[in-house]
């Protein structure tokens, strides 16, 4: 698992999460996005949080894949 110092966070993530009235679910999603985006940790979510995660995850996964590819190339160039 590769750590990173930054990650993208799309406005659409915030808009979707803010539509949820339950602040506990909001917090779980924000934490899931940060933990996956920075550390690659897969969340264990249920209910509406799991549903929204399925929509958010492909963007995060693609960006993480690009990050790991760049990191691999930098290692090979060193």
């Amino acid at each position: 698992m590769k750590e990173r110092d930054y990650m993208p966070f799309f406005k659409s993530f915030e808009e979707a999460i803010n539509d949820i009235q339950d602040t506990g679910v909001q917090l779980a999603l924000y934490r899931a996005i940060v933990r996956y985006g920075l550390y690659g940790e897969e969340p264990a979510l249920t209910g509406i949080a799991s549903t929204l995660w399925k929509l958010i995850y492909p963007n995060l996964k693609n960006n993480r894949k690009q990050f790991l590819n760049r990191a691999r190339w930098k290692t090979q160039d060193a």
Side-chain angles (χ1 to χ4, degrees), residues 1-9 13 28-45 53 56-68:
M1 172 171 54
K2 181 98 171 130
E3 277 188 31
R4 60 196 299 188
D5 295 325
Y6 70 94
M7 57 169 267
F9 189 92
F13 296 174
L29 278 163
Y30 281 122
R31 284 185 175 164
I33 290 167
V34 169
R35 299 303 298 178
Y36 182 80
L38 296 178
Y39 308 106
E41 295 176 7
E42 298 273 348
L45 301 170
W53 177 254
I56 292 169
Y57 177 71
N59 287 308
L60 295 175
K61 181 180 176 184
N62 184 50
N63 184 269
R64 184 155 187 80
K65 182 179 175 182
Q66 291 173 4
F67 164 74
L68 293 173

